[in-house]
């Protein structure tokens, strides 16, 4: 198992070049993504609500994303995802995640990345429901999932360990002028001391009441902002704005210039998924 020392996300603090509003595609806009009604999966052992997948054909992403709930005592049965790495971010409860012969315990705020092809199962430990975000890259399709009697018929050998990221609230540094703290969880480009089998990056961000991220654009990468707690408003330079409550997300297409503000009276917590992964030279700040 690897435990990564998280890095401070600097994409909101760095400037690299110059964009103009006209360089953003004229038809581009911020999309509000609300979860669909949850459906039972694994014979009722869990429920799943999709964010990025067949439910959102208008979103061009290189991954799929959903929200999973597991009741105490339940677990996803052993299965393999062939050719796909799965990321689990725990929103609530405690997860016992089996990954081949290793079991990882993950609590609220922790991230576990399961390498492709591993025999895995996720159980709700304790007396409370388990809630987590799941991200699969390449995107999940039913054909890649092997379970039940099919497991014996598939010869898969894996020697990769899960990557575990500690609670992002440890050691956060604040940008006091704008009331924002940002923390990198996984970035396959910047964290190249460890082989991270994904192409996107993920960061945890907190915005104090009144906190904001000024107008910026990310060259060649989309940004999906999932609201864990609180509410944000994402506005573009033409005056259009989208309010995003907890449990929903905003999808920002590549190159689109936007501003993100805390729209709640309390601290707002979000996850930022940048695809392909963020690097300093991609971000451009605006006055």
């Amino acid at each position: 198992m690897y435990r990564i020392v998280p890095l401070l996300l600097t994409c909101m603090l760095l400037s690299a070049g110059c964009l103009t509003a006209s360089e953003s595609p004229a038809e581009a806009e911020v999309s509000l993504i609300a979860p669909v009604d949850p459906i039972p999966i694994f014979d009722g052992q869990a429920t799943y609500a999709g964010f990025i997948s067949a439910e959102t054909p208008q979103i061009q992403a290189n991954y799929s994303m959903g929200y999973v709930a597991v009741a105490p005592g339940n677990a996803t049965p052993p299965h393999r995802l062939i050719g796909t790495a799965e990321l689990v971010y725990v929103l609530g409860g405690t997860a016992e995640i089996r990954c081949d012969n290793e079991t990882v315990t993950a609590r609220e705020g922790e991230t576990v990345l399961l390498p492709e092809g591993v025999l895995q199962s996720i159980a709700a430990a304790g007396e409370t429901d388990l809630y987590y975000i799941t991200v699969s890259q390449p995107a999940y399709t039913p054909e890649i999932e092997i379970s039940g009697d099919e497991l014996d018929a598939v010869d898969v050998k894996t020697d990769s360990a899960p990557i575990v990221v500690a609670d992002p609230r440890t050691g956060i540094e604040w940008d006091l002028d704008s009331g924002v703290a940002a923390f990198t969880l996984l970035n396959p480009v910047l964290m190249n001391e460890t082989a991270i089998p994904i192409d996107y990056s993920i960061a945890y961000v907190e915005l104090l009441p009144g906190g904001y991220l000024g107008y910026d654009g990310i060259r060649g990468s989309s940004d999906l902002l999932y609201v864990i707690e609180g509410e944000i408003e994402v506005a573009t330079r033409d005056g259009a704005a989208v309010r995003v409550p907890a449990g929903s997300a905003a999808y920002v297409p590549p190159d689109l210039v936007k501003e993100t503000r805390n729209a709640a009276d309390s601290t707002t917590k979000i996850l930022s998924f940048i695809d392909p992964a963020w690097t300093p030279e991609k971000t451009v700040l605006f006055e």
Side-chain angles (χ1 to χ4, degrees):
M1 181 196 310
Y2 300 95
R3 186 164 292 272
I4 291 180
V5 178
L7 303 175
L8 177 67
L9 179 66
T10 57
C11 66
M12 293 83 173
L13 309 176
L14 294 176
S15 176
C18 180
L19 282 177
T20 66
S22 62
E23 285 181 299
S24 296
E27 69 278 6
E29 60 182 15
V30 179
S31 299
L32 174 64
I33 304 175
V36 299
D37 292 336
I39 59 172
I41 57 175
F42 295 119
D43 295 325
Q45 291 291 303
T47 62
Y48 175 87
F51 275 100
I52 304 293
S53 59
E55 295 87 353
T56 55
Q58 76 278 17
I59 304 299
Q60 299 300 310
N62 295 315
Y63 55 83
S64 58
M65 176 185 293
Y67 175 93
V68 179
V70 185
N74 286 1
T76 63
H79 62 283
R80 298 183 189 273
L81 299 181
I82 304 302
T84 294
E86 181 179 10
L87 179 141
V88 173
Y89 181 91
V90 179
L91 296 169
T94 301
E96 286 190 355
I97 304 174
R98 173 185 169 187
C99 182
D100 282 337
N101 296 320
E102 185 171 349
T103 298
V104 172
T105 299
R107 298 173 177 83
E108 180 180 339
E110 293 195 273
T111 305
V112 180
L113 182 61
L114 303 173
E116 62 182 54
V118 297
L119 183 64
Q120 59 165 287
S121 176
I122 302 176
E127 299 180 355
T128 60
D129 288 352
L130 167 65
Y131 304 100
Y132 64 89
I133 292 292
T134 173
V135 183
S136 296
Q137 190 185 54
Y140 173 86
T141 62
E143 292 75 21
I144 68 170
E145 184 177 304
I146 307 298
S147 60
D149 295 338
E150 295 178 335
L151 288 172
D152 294 333
V154 176
D155 183 18
V156 177
K157 293 182 174 62
T158 59
D159 57 4
S160 299
I163 296 175
V164 180
V165 182
D167 188 338
R169 297 166 183 82
T170 302
I172 292 177
E173 296 183 16
W174 289 90
D175 174 7
L176 296 178
D177 290 336
S178 62
V180 176
F183 211 62
T184 299
L185 301 181
L186 288 170
N187 187 313
V189 180
L190 302 182
M191 295 175 168
N192 56 15
E193 71 280 2
T194 298
I196 301 176
I198 55 176
D199 295 330
Y200 60 89
S201 58
I202 173 175
Y204 169 81
V205 183
E206 290 189 2
L207 297 91
L208 292 174
Y212 66 94
L213 299 169
Y215 283 105
D216 65 9
I218 304 178
R219 294 181 183 273
S221 291
S222 64
D223 190 4
L224 186 132
L225 303 171
Y226 175 84
V227 180
I228 301 170
E229 181 180 319
E231 186 174 20
I232 59 173
E233 181 177 88
V234 184
T236 54
R237 288 164 68 90
D238 62 4
V242 173
R243 295 284 288 252
V244 188
S248 295
Y251 174 80
V252 183
D255 305 318
L256 183 65
V257 178
K258 89 288 188 186
E259 178 189 60
T260 304
R261 287 186 174 271
N262 185 356
D265 295 330
S266 57
T267 298
T268 287
K269 303 172 182 179
I270 64 176
L271 295 174
S272 170
F273 297 86
I274 296 180
D275 177 43
W278 177 82
T279 57
E281 61 272 14
K282 285 189 174 186
T283 297
V284 183
L285 299 184
F286 297 83
E287 296 294 334

